[in-house]
Amino acid sequence: MKKFALLICVVLSSLFLNAQKFSKQKKLSQLMTSHILCEGKKPVCSFLLYLKNSEKGFVFNKGVGVIGRNETPVDASYQYNVASITKTLVSTIILQLNEEGKLDIENPIKKYLEHLDFIKYDVLHIYNKKKYQDVITIEMLLNHTSGIADVFTDAETRFNISVFFHPKRNYTAQKFYKRYFRYHLNKKPTNIPGKGYHYSDINYMLLGFIIEDIEQKPLAEVIRERILIPLNLENTYFEYYEKEHGSGKRIDAFINKINITKRVNTSYEWAGGGIVSTTEEMAIFIEALFNMKLFKDEETLKKMIDVSKTSQFGKSYGLGMYKWKLGGETFYGHGGFYGSILAYSPEHQITISANIGQSSPPFDRGKLIDKVIHMVLQ
């Protein structure tokens, strides 16, 4: 009789937990659908969301809305440009090379870049008419404290005009890098190296060049060999620099009303933002990172998430990774320009991977993420 009563309790408990999960899934689906508005000045045509709470055995993976250029419904398997989340992959490779003794992140970049003629190393960083490139370290590139200016923000108007007049222009990494000098950004750094924080994609272009020079392979090939193949990420690829992989199903990304995916060749993204993936595969990547599947030494991960070098400037950026408070909990990860986020909570083993396909949505992204996190924690 006691065994029967125990069995009844187990069954009822299981039914209750399943009902809770179903209710949570339903609420999340409703939340996603309520944020779809594929019209107006800032359309949000799709919402892709992957969530995982390992502590509670909860997984949610869904896509709602339409592609953008047409009314084809999307699902969780759709790919998107992860944009600056790419930086976390590039940082991971730099730190792997550091573990292998192929470079030292505390060394000045001079050792790794001076011999590359196209870098124009001798005039890379001129602050108040004084050259500072010799004191820039690899670590400063990783955490954006080099002071190096950024084409996308410090020459935004000029670059955007160029892109919209030549939307199908194909770039190589070196061809785009030349714009740094064409816009005289080498003479407009924001700070002396190590004395400030300024987010710049040029930092990660330089890291990409370092990786290619050390490995003697294209960056796309190195990313595939070191991350994508080991983690079996079959729907992830380095756009424009290798052939497409995966389903071929792709949502459109917007800047306000402009459909960037449809109209613009974004090969200029490269090491700063060129990866295309799915929310689930990006989740697999960050979970692998925190479960020590990509590093040999736990100290490497600790260095990656250490924000002490940027906190003195009011920022929370480690080595290719932010530290955030989301829903009142500590998360580590990165965001992407076209409405992407990838974040992981080591304490609660919670993963969030999402994309809304819009750089400037008509709602508060922070409040939306907080709502999602609260639901997952329940």
Side-chain angles (χ1 to χ4, degrees):
M1 191 67 180
K2 288 183 179 179
K3 289 183 179 180
F4 179 73
L6 180 61
L7 178 61
I8 291 297
C9 287
V10 170
V11 170
L12 289 174
S13 177
S14 177
L15 289 172
F16 176 73
L17 290 173
N18 286 334
Q20 278 190 318
K21 288 179 182 179
F22 177 78
S23 176
K24 194 181 296 184
Q25 298 258 1
K26 186 177 180 181
K27 288 179 181 178
L28 284 165
S29 296
Q30 290 172 342
L31 180 67
M32 293 174 71
T33 303
S34 71
H35 284 80
I36 297 295
L37 183 64
C38 198
E39 56 186 37
K41 295 181 179 179
K42 299 179 178 182
V44 175
C45 296
S46 61
F47 192 162
L48 308 174
L49 179 61
Y50 178 92
L51 295 168
K52 186 176 181 180
N53 185 336
S54 296
E55 282 185 341
K56 298 190 176 184
F58 177 77
V59 177
F60 179 86
N61 190 18
K62 191 165 185 174
V64 300
V66 297
I67 289 175
R69 73 185 70 187
N70 59 48
E71 296 299 310
T72 303
V74 306
D75 57 44
S77 66
Y78 268 73
Q79 297 166 300
Y80 61 99
N81 183 332
V82 309
S84 285
I85 295 171
T86 301
K87 293 179 175 68
T88 310
L89 281 76
V90 171
S91 176
T92 298
I93 292 170
I94 288 288
L95 291 169
Q96 288 176 339
L97 295 173
N98 187 76
E99 285 189 332
E100 295 162 13
K102 293 181 178 180
L103 58 76
D104 186 335
I105 64 169
E106 296 181 1
N107 279 348
I109 61 173
K110 179 177 182 178
K111 179 178 179 179
Y112 309 99
L113 293 174
E114 186 181 30
H115 64 286
L116 301 176
D117 292 340
F118 71 90
I119 295 294
K120 297 185 180 180
Y121 176 79
D122 287 341
V123 290
L124 179 66
H125 188 297
I126 303 172
Y127 185 80
N128 287 342
K129 298 182 179 181
K130 184 177 179 180
K131 295 180 178 181
Y132 283 94
Q133 62 270 3
D134 286 354
V135 298
I136 299 174
T137 64
I138 290 180
E139 184 179 35
M140 291 177 189
L141 298 181
L142 288 166
N143 63 19
H144 298 292
T145 59
S146 69
I148 289 173
D150 182 51
V151 170
F152 298 121
T153 57
D154 300 312
E156 181 178 7
T157 300
R158 191 171 176 182
F159 180 68
N160 286 346
I161 289 172
S162 174
V163 167
F164 292 128
F165 270 104
H166 306 281
K168 297 301 180 182
R169 176 184 285 157
N170 193 58
Y171 293 83
T172 63
Q174 291 188 25
K175 184 177 179 180
F176 174 74
Y177 177 70
K178 287 180 181 178
R179 290 183 177 269
Y180 175 72
F181 294 96
R182 184 183 299 178
Y183 301 157
H184 305 292
L185 294 173
N186 61 315
K187 298 177 182 178
K188 301 176 183 178
T190 59
N191 54 267
I192 294 171
K195 302 298 182 182
Y197 172 93
H198 183 66
Y199 187 94
S200 173
D201 273 48
I202 299 300
N203 285 322
Y204 276 76
M205 292 207 76
L206 293 172
L207 291 169
F209 294 138
I210 290 171
I211 290 170
E212 289 194 330
D213 189 59
I214 289 175
E215 295 290 84
Q216 289 296 294
K217 295 176 183 178
L219 181 59
E221 190 175 334
V222 180
I223 290 174
R224 184 151 297 279
E225 290 179 355
R226 285 181 170 269
I227 298 176
L228 307 188
I229 291 175
L231 298 182
N232 197 31
L233 304 183
E234 297 180 347
N235 293 287
T236 303
Y237 64 96
F238 202 19
E239 190 174 27
Y240 296 106
Y241 295 90
E242 65 175 345
K243 69 177 184 179
E244 293 183 5
H245 287 253
S247 66
K249 297 189 296 183
R250 178 83 176 269
I251 62 103
D252 289 345
F254 290 80
I255 298 179
N256 296 319
K257 289 188 71 172
I258 302 169
N259 188 328
I260 293 296
T261 306
K262 182 180 178 181
R263 290 187 55 187
V264 178
N265 179 319
T266 57
S267 49
Y268 50 77
E269 298 274 8
W270 200 55
I275 291 289
V276 168
S277 189
T278 65
T279 52
E280 183 174 11
E281 292 201 352
M282 283 293 94
I284 290 170
F285 162 66
I286 200 166
E287 287 171 5
L289 200 55
F290 278 88
N291 288 311
M292 295 303 298
K293 293 181 180 179
L294 294 171
F295 296 140
K296 298 174 183 177
D297 188 345
E298 289 187 4
E299 287 302 312
T300 302
L301 181 61
K302 288 180 181 178
K303 284 182 182 179
M304 191 177 201
I305 64 176
D306 180 7
V307 300
S308 61
K309 297 288 179 67
T310 58
S311 61
Q312 59 185 309
F313 309 118
K315 304 296 179 180
S316 295
Y317 198 92
L319 306 182
M321 189 173 290
Y322 286 98
K323 179 181 179 181
W324 291 310
K325 278 289 184 181
L326 303 174
E329 303 295 334
T330 299
F331 282 79
Y332 298 92
H334 216 291
F337 183 71
Y338 305 110
S340 335
I341 186 170
L342 177 63
Y344 183 77
S345 165
E347 181 180 356
H348 296 287
Q349 298 178 57
I350 293 174
T351 309
I352 176 169
S353 179
N355 176 267
I356 56 172
Q358 172 60 261
S359 65
S360 305
F363 51 78
D364 189 319
R365 279 183 289 189
K367 290 182 179 178
L368 172 60
I369 295 300
D370 278 348
K371 286 180 181 178
V372 170
I373 297 299
H374 283 304
M375 285 186 184
V376 177
L377 285 169
Q378 289 175 358

